[in-house]
Amino acid sequence: MKMNFYKKLALMSIGYFSLNLSYADNLNNESIKSLMVINNVDVQVSRALKTPSGAYLLQMGSGYWKPNATLYDISQNKMTYLEGVQKGNNIQFVSSENNGIVKNNINLDGSLDVETGIYRSILNDRLEGFKQELVFLPLINIKNRPTFLFKFYGTENKETGEKIIQKVEVIDRKTKQIYQQLTGFSAYATGIQYIDLNFDGYFDLILKDTSSALGDGEHSIYWMYNPETKKFQRSPQLEVLGGSPVIDIEKKQVDFGNGHKFEIKDGQFYKIKN
């Protein structure tokens, strides 16, 4: 019987683990009620996309002014790093100077449907002299996948301007109603990621823990979306790994740094031995 990803405890000693997820602390105290709204928080959405034929994969950032992307040409075994600009739902990318690719030689210009996750684009390779229309679909397609907005609450240091998040309201994008409240943590108002970390088709929310300032390395707070409970639940197992996750959508791997690299199979984390 396949191990249930959302119920079993960590089995780190044998090289893989399934997440033990906990709910947000129910903190209806005065300190939570007195938090201020923190505006202009950039949430870096990272999307794993593919063309219907599977000829191209696209790991694309969105939701902030200058997103980055990585384009995988599977047939040519070629990877191109892209730098972009987003205006509304239009996202334009050009190749950066990496892996022998000449800067600005490749252009990818398209429009993103945030509800469906479909990115309709035109790929223009000036060096090779071709242009083609590419439609990118979610790498893992989930019907009626929920879409959310986030409202952040916390404190601000009046002297330094540093903002600390202590509560997140998860808002249903369609109904505009509060879906869930996340509390019981302290995170910086920068470097927030919204990404499908375990390749189950649902986005997870990752914030930078303020404990990183204590000097024992970078730590993140992981709110993993659980499709069984339809809630974001916190993952203490991922939080003890430290570092900041880097995803490879072609290999379906996640690298947390410091030797903590995992391959994802059926939503479970299998450690890759060095």
Side-chain angles (χ1 to χ4, degrees), residues 34 42 86 92 131 140 169 176 178 183 208 213-214 241:
S34 64
D42 286 335
Q86 179 171 356
Q92 300 175 321
K131 180 186 290 187
I140 301 171
E169 281 184 353
K176 300 299 188 289
I178 296 175
T183 57
K208 298 298 182 186
L214 298 178
L241 295 177

Side-chain angles (χ1 to χ4, degrees), residues 165-203:
I165 296 171
Q166 293 177 280
K167 185 178 80 168
V168 179
E169 281 184 353
V170 182
I171 300 171
D172 187 298
R173 181 183 285 272
K174 293 181 180 179
T175 66
K176 300 299 188 289
Q177 298 299 309
I178 296 175
Y179 184 87
Q180 187 181 355
Q181 295 189 72
L182 311 179
T183 57
F185 66 93
S186 179
Y188 295 110
T190 57
I192 300 172
Q193 298 182 67
Y194 193 45
I195 185 171
D196 180 9
L197 190 65
N198 60 327
F199 294 96
D200 66 349
Y202 296 90
F203 286 93

Side-chain angles (χ1 to χ4, degrees), residues 186-188 190-191 193 206-210 218-221 243-245:
S186 179
Y188 295 110
T190 57
Q193 298 182 67
I206 305 173
L207 303 100
K208 298 298 182 186
D209 196 334
T210 55
E218 186 175 4
H219 292 273
S220 297
I221 298 167
S244 182

